[in-house]
Amino acid sequence: MRRFAVPLILSLALACAHAQPEALLHAAESLDGVSIGMGSGYDESKLFLSHAAEHVTEGAAAIGAVSRSPEDAQGNVYVSVFVPIEPTSFTDRALVFDGATSTPDRSQALYVRGYDESGRMVMSWMSWEGQLSAEVRQFRLVPEVDGALRWEPGRIEADDRSAVTRIEFITGTGEKGVYFNVTIDNIRASIAR
């Protein structure tokens, strides 16, 4: 019995050593390669780095986007941030990030989407339930699973999540003529459990 226990323990130790519980995908310390998606046509949409302690959970900055909804907007207005990442497999991993807003009463929407190198949407979650708050909150999103944000199967353009290269963070408001924003920090991949 003992001669079976030692190889089993060694095998388990090696498996644990090779498993990466979390991998940093983007530290949000720079706007290099980061761009505005939705809302880019509005004059007052812009990217920024926040150094405010209430937004930063890793390093010295968090990535943010702000916009102002037009007075004559028809329907909801959105602003989004595209963040490039090294090709990352989410076939058995969760997307984890820290998010906040300084306009929690207005930034009611939060959508998160992942794209492959061809630009096809391979992950998508959404909520219009005011998930963003003035205090940083950690979000953990597992593909095909509803949580704080609901999985959007109808938005998926390809099922292969083996090489996600870009993440989009979206916030939105239904109010007219108001500023709204989102800040994102510490974007990482974690083992899906």
Side-chain angles (χ1 to χ4, degrees):
M1 179 72 132
R2 187 173 186 186
R3 67 186 163 142
F4 294 112
V6 172
L8 178 62
I9 291 170
L10 286 173
S11 295
L12 289 172
L14 282 173
C16 290
H18 290 294
Q20 290 183 328
E22 243 178 38
L24 184 65
L25 302 177
H26 200 288
E29 299 296 306
S30 164
L31 295 178
D32 290 346
V34 176
S35 62
I36 289 185
M38 294 178 180
S40 62
Y42 299 133
D43 292 339
E44 298 185 63
S45 293
K46 67 176 184 175
L47 293 173
F48 62 91
L49 284 178
S50 174
H51 299 278
E54 63 268 22
H55 296 158
V56 179
T57 59
E58 186 278 333
I63 291 171
V66 62
S67 190
R68 182 176 184 276
S69 60
E71 298 281 355
D72 60 351
Q74 300 295 313
N76 299 320
V77 177
Y78 299 92
V79 66
S80 73
V81 180
F82 282 114
V83 179
I85 60 172
E86 289 295 317
T88 303
S89 175
F90 283 94
T91 53
D92 58 355
R93 303 192 91 184
L95 175 65
V96 183
F97 65 94
D98 302 325
T101 181
S102 61
T103 57
D105 292 341
R106 296 179 218 135
S107 301
Q108 290 296 303
L110 178 60
Y111 294 73
V112 180
R113 294 176 174 158
Y115 299 85
D116 65 14
E117 63 185 351
S118 298
R120 297 175 301 183
M121 192 182 303
V122 296
M123 302 189 300
S124 185
W125 299 267
M126 67 82 62
S127 173
W128 262 95
E129 292 154 9
Q131 298 291 338
L132 294 170
S133 66
E135 292 184 21
V136 173
R137 175 179 174 192
Q138 179 179 284
F139 293 88
R140 186 173 186 281
L141 306 177
V142 177
E144 301 184 20
V145 175
D146 289 339
L149 280 66
R150 290 185 303 281
W151 178 252
E152 293 188 290
R155 303 286 308 190
I156 303 305
E157 298 168 333
D159 292 328
D160 183 1
R161 291 187 292 272
S162 64
V164 176
T165 59
R166 190 167 60 152
I167 307 292
E168 182 181 24
F169 299 94
I170 305 164
T171 191
T173 187
E175 295 185 43
K176 311 305 178 218
V178 297
Y179 286 96
F180 63 106
N181 64 51
V182 61
T183 58
I184 303 296
D185 197 11
N186 200 13
I187 304 165
R188 52 215 190 269
S190 176
I191 296 171
R193 294 183 192 147

